[in-house]
């Protein structure tokens, strides 16, 4: 787990664009990153690639200490939950 948030953010973007299931474990891991921007982007990317995993991660993120992550979780749930 790289602690350099800017680098991880770029990697999350690349994983989201590739849309491959192989990205899911890394995105799940990024949902627990120390940087809240990374956690928020990982939630969004995960929900695009695997809506079930994204919904599960978003539900867990509703308890995140950072308001921005909680708001992203709500957005993911509103968009991807069925």
């Amino acid at each position: 787990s790289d602690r350099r948030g800017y680098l991880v953010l770029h990697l999350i973007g690349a994983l989201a664009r590739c849309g491959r299931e192989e990205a899911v474990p890394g995105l799940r891991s990024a949902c627990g990153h120390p940087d809240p921007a990374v956690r928020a982007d990982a939630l969004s990317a995960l929900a695009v690639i695997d809506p079930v995993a994204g919904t599960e991660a978003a539900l867990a993120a509703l308890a995140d200490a950072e308001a921005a992550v909680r708001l992203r979780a709500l957005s993911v749930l509103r968009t991807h939950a069925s």
Side-chain angles (χ1 to χ4, degrees):
S1 155
D2 193 311
R3 296 205 176 268
R4 295 171 291 184
Y6 68 93
L7 177 61
V8 179
L9 284 170
H10 287 290
L11 292 172
I12 287 171
L15 290 172
R17 285 188 299 279
C18 84
R20 296 180 57 103
E21 286 287 322
E22 292 88 346
V24 170
L27 291 170
R28 279 191 179 136
S29 177
C31 287
H33 194 276
D35 185 330
V38 170
R39 295 195 303 273
D41 279 7
L43 283 172
S44 295
L46 186 57
V48 168
I49 294 173
D50 184 338
V52 172
T55 298
E56 291 169 357
L59 287 170
L62 291 174
D64 196 280
E66 293 290 330
V69 178
R70 294 191 305 269
L71 288 172
R72 183 71 61 90
L74 287 171
S75 175
V76 166
L77 291 170
R78 184 176 56 240
T79 304
H80 295 282
S82 48

